[in-house]
Coordinates of all heavy atoms in Angstrom, one line a residue:
V156 N -40.2 -48.6 -55.1 CA -38.9 -49.3 -55.3 C -37.9 -48.3 -55.9 O -38.2 -47.6 -56.9 CB -39.1 -50.5 -56.3 CG1 -37.7 -51.1 -56.7 CG2 -39.9 -51.6 -55.7
V157 N -36.8 -48.2 -55.3 CA -35.7 -47.4 -55.8 C -34.7 -48.3 -56.4 O -34.1 -49.2 -55.8 CB -35.0 -46.5 -54.7 CG1 -33.8 -45.7 -55.2 CG2 -36.0 -45.6 -54.0
V158 N -34.4 -48.1 -57.7 CA -33.4 -48.9 -58.4 C -32.1 -48.2 -58.4 O -31.9 -47.1 -59.1 CB -33.9 -49.2 -59.9 CG1 -32.9 -50.1 -60.6 CG2 -35.3 -49.8 -59.9
G159 N -31.2 -48.7 -57.7 CA -29.8 -48.1 -57.6 C -29.5 -47.6 -56.2 O -30.3 -47.0 -55.5
G160 N -28.4 -48.1 -55.7 CA -28.0 -47.8 -54.3 C -26.9 -46.8 -54.1 O -26.1 -46.9 -53.2
G161 N -26.8 -45.8 -55.0 CA -25.8 -44.8 -54.9 C -26.3 -43.6 -54.0 O -27.3 -43.8 -53.3
F162 N -25.6 -42.5 -54.1 CA -26.0 -41.3 -53.3 C -27.4 -40.9 -53.4 O -28.2 -40.9 -52.5 CB -25.1 -40.1 -53.6 CG -23.7 -40.3 -53.1 CD1 -22.7 -40.8 -54.0 CD2 -23.3 -40.0 -51.8 CE1 -21.4 -41.0 -53.5 CE2 -22.0 -40.1 -51.4 CZ -21.0 -40.6 -52.2
I163 N -27.9 -40.6 -54.7 CA -29.2 -40.1 -54.9 C -30.2 -41.2 -54.6 O -31.3 -40.9 -54.0 CB -29.4 -39.7 -56.4 CG1 -28.4 -38.5 -56.7 CG2 -30.8 -39.2 -56.6 CD1 -28.7 -37.3 -55.9
G164 N -29.9 -42.5 -54.9 CA -30.9 -43.5 -54.6 C -31.1 -43.7 -53.2 O -32.3 -43.8 -52.7
L165 N -30.1 -43.7 -52.4 CA -30.3 -43.9 -50.9 C -30.9 -42.7 -50.3 O -31.7 -42.8 -49.3 CB -28.9 -44.2 -50.2 CG -28.3 -45.5 -50.7 CD1 -27.1 -45.8 -49.8 CD2 -29.3 -46.7 -50.6
E166 N -30.6 -41.5 -50.7 CA -31.2 -40.3 -50.2 C -32.7 -40.3 -50.6 O -33.6 -39.9 -49.7 CB -30.5 -39.0 -50.7 CG -29.1 -38.8 -50.1 CD -28.4 -37.7 -50.9 OE1 -28.8 -37.3 -52.0 OE2 -27.3 -37.3 -50.3
T167 N -33.0 -40.7 -51.8 CA -34.4 -40.8 -52.2 C -35.1 -41.9 -51.3 O -36.3 -41.7 -50.9 CB -34.5 -41.2 -53.7 OG1 -33.8 -40.2 -54.4 CG2 -36.0 -41.3 -54.1
A168 N -34.5 -43.0 -51.1 CA -35.1 -44.1 -50.2 C -35.4 -43.5 -48.8 O -36.5 -43.8 -48.3 CB -34.2 -45.3 -50.2
S179 N -38.3 -50.3 -51.0 CA -37.3 -51.3 -51.4 C -36.2 -50.7 -52.2 O -36.5 -49.8 -53.1 CB -38.0 -52.5 -52.2 OG -39.0 -53.1 -51.4
V180 N -35.0 -51.1 -52.0 CA -33.9 -50.7 -52.8 C -33.3 -51.9 -53.6 O -33.0 -52.9 -52.9 CB -32.7 -50.0 -52.0 CG1 -31.5 -49.8 -52.8 CG2 -33.2 -48.7 -51.4
V181 N -33.2 -51.8 -54.9 CA -32.6 -52.9 -55.7 C -31.3 -52.4 -56.3 O -31.2 -51.3 -56.9 CB -33.6 -53.2 -56.9 CG1 -32.9 -54.3 -57.8 CG2 -34.9 -53.7 -56.3
E182 N -30.2 -53.1 -56.0 CA -28.9 -52.8 -56.5 C -28.2 -53.9 -57.1 O -28.2 -55.0 -56.6 CB -28.1 -52.3 -55.3 CG -26.6 -52.1 -55.5 CD -26.3 -51.1 -56.7 OE1 -26.8 -50.0 -56.6 OE2 -25.6 -51.5 -57.6
M183 N -27.6 -53.7 -58.3 CA -27.0 -54.8 -59.1 C -25.7 -55.3 -58.4 O -25.3 -56.5 -58.5 CB -26.6 -54.3 -60.5 CG -27.8 -54.3 -61.4 SD -27.3 -53.9 -63.1 CE -26.4 -55.4 -63.5
V187 N -24.4 -51.4 -51.4 CA -24.8 -50.0 -51.8 C -23.5 -49.2 -51.8 O -22.5 -49.6 -51.3 CB -25.8 -49.4 -50.8 CG1 -27.1 -50.2 -50.8 CG2 -25.3 -49.3 -49.4
M188 N -23.6 -48.0 -52.3 CA -22.5 -47.0 -52.2 C -21.1 -47.5 -52.7 O -20.2 -47.9 -51.9 CB -22.4 -46.5 -50.8 CG -23.6 -45.7 -50.3 SD -24.0 -44.3 -51.3 CE -22.6 -43.2 -50.8
T211 N -32.4 -55.4 -51.7 CA -32.2 -56.5 -52.6 C -30.9 -56.2 -53.3 O -30.8 -55.3 -54.2 CB -33.3 -56.7 -53.6 OG1 -34.6 -57.0 -52.9 CG2 -33.0 -57.9 -54.6
V216 N -32.8 -55.3 -62.5 CA -34.1 -55.3 -63.0 C -34.2 -55.8 -64.4 O -33.4 -55.5 -65.3 CB -34.7 -53.8 -63.0 CG1 -36.1 -53.8 -63.7 CG2 -34.7 -53.2 -61.6
I242 N -38.5 -45.4 -58.7 CA -37.6 -44.3 -59.0 C -36.3 -44.9 -59.5 O -35.6 -45.7 -58.8 CB -37.3 -43.5 -57.7 CG1 -38.6 -43.0 -57.1 CG2 -36.3 -42.3 -58.1 CD1 -39.3 -42.0 -57.9
L243 N -35.9 -44.6 -60.7 CA -34.6 -45.1 -61.3 C -33.5 -44.1 -60.9 O -33.5 -42.9 -61.1 CB -34.7 -45.1 -62.8 CG -35.7 -46.0 -63.4 CD1 -35.7 -45.9 -65.0 CD2 -35.4 -47.5 -63.0
S244 N -32.5 -44.7 -60.2 CA -31.3 -44.0 -59.8 C -30.1 -44.9 -60.1 O -29.3 -45.2 -59.2 CB -31.4 -43.6 -58.3 OG -30.4 -42.8 -57.9
I245 N -29.9 -45.2 -61.3 CA -28.9 -46.2 -61.7 C -27.5 -45.6 -61.9 O -26.5 -46.2 -61.7 CB -29.4 -46.9 -63.0 CG1 -30.7 -47.7 -62.7 CG2 -28.3 -47.9 -63.5 CD1 -31.3 -48.2 -64.0
G246 N -27.5 -44.3 -62.2 CA -26.3 -43.6 -62.4 C -26.5 -42.5 -63.4 O -27.7 -42.2 -63.8

Side-chain angles (χ1 to χ4, degrees):
V156 170
V157 177
V158 182
F162 288 94
I163 299 295
L165 295 189
E166 289 170 347
T167 301
S179 300
V180 171
V181 176
E182 169 56 56
M183 285 188 66
V187 300
M188 297 298 290
T211 299
V216 176
I242 305 294
L243 295 178
S244 187
I245 299 170

